[in-house]
Amino acid sequence: MKFLPILLFGGLCVVRLHALESGELAAVAKRFADPSGDEQYKARAELNRLVAQSTLPGKGDPAAVTELLVAAIQSPETPKEAVKYLLRSLSRVATADAVEPLAKILNGPDVMLREEAREALSWIPDSKAATALEAALAKSTDKREKLGLIAALATQKSTTSVPVLEPFLREADSELVVAAIDSLSRIGGAPAINALAAAKVSPALKPELELALLAAGSGDAKTVDQVYQSTASDPVRLAAFLSLVKLAPADAKASLLEAALKSKDVAVRHAALAGGLELSLPALQSSLVQSLPTMPAEDRLIVLANIHHLKPAETAVKIAVGYVGSSVEDERVAAIGSLGKIETKFAFGAVLQSVGAREPRVNQAAASALASSTYPAAASDLLAILKGGSGPDKILAIKALNSVQVPDASTILLEIVKGQDQVASKEAMKTLYFIASTDDLGTLCTAAAATNEPELRKSLVSISSRIATRIDTDEARELVKDLK
């Protein structure tokens, strides 16, 4: 019987721990009675801390915490402001044991507390919580309250709520109709789909209803296809088409995309073009080279923007390079963007050539393509050009250092600045301005102080001062303060 005192001591500890938690909660609740905004804030923070600590994943006891919170809410000594925040705590941790007391508050006279109880009930994963919300909605006469309850049922996502929500699809008030549509779309499943499919709404709400059907039936190809075939809304048709492509089995995607390539709906046709290239659609790829020049301009842009998916890569590069010289700027930009996504030397070289374009948009497209390029030899190819002789390619490679990381780029550029090629030297200084770090600035200042060539010194001092201004730190200013 020696173990009996130990058991009794353990039981006392449990009781003490429970009482202590109740006492802490009561103490925090009383602090809400203080009119000071600062004290109110501290009380909220302390309440959140207590609840968070006692419901840690794998360690806490939500049922015990729910019991304590409910007891505090029901206590006549708890200030109303504290009740509000206790209810908010229940919305995070409550178990099914809280449903009955929350339902009483939901049907009580206090509007503010009803809203908090409704929110808490919406997050309790139990059918009794959904039933309490459904009952409240069925007898509510206040529009604002109805909207809140409809939204709460959407959070619950219980199919038992569908019969309660369905009558709101026939309401004269469009706001209630939209709320019911949204709630049913989030609940999903066959009952919600059937309710939405049978609904008769105004023409203005028809697209909203169709999008809800797509959401509710996102895994049901039959429902999605019905919306695709019947809708008069272009955005809805596109959304339905994209869902169909996603749902279609691999062996059915090709025929779906091929049919959509002939669609009069521009957005659907463009989606089919992009999807067809991505999936290497044989019907599209076999005729692309011949049909591209005669395509509508807007279709051609879609193809050029997705041409990097075309196989083999050499064919994609050949087509894209042909449009890099297009007289239509949009086509040049699209082609350059695709070339940046093709991991071949020729594609990289074509993008590099575009860095020198005079048109700002084309130039920027090339810079972006270089920056995002995954061509594995980009750095080594640029390094080889930079260390080579003078020429246009060297100027382009210097420009490209703004976008491509090359080891020791600043050191290489400094050597070019000190070299005999004046064109390359000026371009190197431009690039140094954008990429030089504080350490690079120190190297430039040292080189400026060491050179005996007046013109070179003047150039180094100028670029160092500009870089220091860009970096804008005390260290940078200290480095250039003695330069003249």
Side-chain angles (χ1 to χ4, degrees), residues 231-460:
T231 184
S233 165
D234 290 346
V236 172
R237 188 180 300 105
L238 176 61
F241 173 72
L242 293 174
S243 294
L244 281 176
V245 172
K246 186 177 180 180
L247 291 170
D251 57 354
K253 288 186 191 294
S255 58
L256 179 63
L257 289 167
E258 285 178 16
L261 288 173
K262 302 171 185 176
S263 174
K264 293 181 180 179
D265 186 312
V266 175
V268 169
R269 191 169 69 248
H270 287 177
L273 283 168
L277 285 167
E278 188 171 356
L279 294 174
S280 301
L281 190 65
L284 177 59
Q285 299 203 154
S286 62
S287 61
L288 193 60
V289 176
Q290 291 76 25
S291 62
L292 193 57
T294 60
M295 277 186 182
E298 55 193 7
D299 289 18
R300 187 159 53 247
L301 284 177
I302 297 297
V303 171
L304 291 174
N306 292 276
I307 200 71
H308 55 281
H309 292 300
L310 190 65
K311 300 293 184 290
E314 291 74 18
T315 302
V317 173
K318 183 178 179 180
I319 293 173
V321 168
Y323 281 90
V324 168
S326 171
S327 60
V328 180
E329 191 175 271
D330 285 345
E331 292 181 351
R332 296 182 68 186
V333 168
I336 291 167
S338 277
L339 283 168
K341 299 171 186 174
I342 301 175
E343 300 178 4
T344 69
K345 184 180 183 69
F346 192 41
F348 180 78
V351 175
L352 182 60
Q353 293 300 314
S354 299
V355 170
R358 293 183 179 181
E359 302 91 337
R361 283 187 63 228
V362 176
N363 184 279
Q364 183 57 49
S368 298
L370 287 174
S372 60
S373 173
T374 54
Y375 172 55
S380 59
D381 282 7
L382 287 177
L383 197 58
I385 297 172
L386 291 167
K387 291 183 176 180
S390 300
D393 283 355
K394 188 166 188 173
I395 303 301
L396 295 173
I398 293 171
K399 290 178 181 288
L401 293 182
N402 282 310
S403 305
V404 181
Q405 290 189 348
V406 174
D408 299 321
S410 297
T411 302
I412 295 168
L413 288 172
L414 180 57
E415 291 303 314
I416 294 173
V417 168
K418 295 189 293 186
Q420 299 300 311
D421 187 335
Q422 294 302 305
V423 176
S425 177
K426 289 180 180 179
E427 197 61 51
M429 282 192 284
K430 291 178 185 178
T431 299
L432 271 171
Y433 171 76
F434 290 106
I435 73 170
S437 64
T438 302
D439 289 341
D440 296 331
L441 177 59
T443 302
L444 284 165
C445 291
T446 301
T451 185
N452 294 319
E453 299 178 30
E455 287 301 316
L456 177 58
R457 179 181 174 78
K458 181 179 178 181
S459 295
L460 290 172

Side-chain angles (χ1 to χ4, degrees), residues 103-152:
K104 289 181 180 178
I105 297 173
L106 183 66
N107 294 299
D110 192 299
V111 175
M112 180 186 75
L113 296 184
R114 286 207 305 265
E115 290 184 0
E116 299 295 345
R118 182 190 70 222
E119 181 68 12
L121 282 165
S122 72
W123 291 105
I124 297 177
D126 189 273
S127 60
K128 289 185 291 185
T131 300
L133 292 167
E134 291 162 9
L137 178 59
K139 66 181 183 180
S140 176
T141 56
D142 180 78
K143 175 184 172 180
R144 183 171 178 272
E145 191 173 63
K146 287 178 182 179
L147 290 171
L149 288 163
I150 290 171

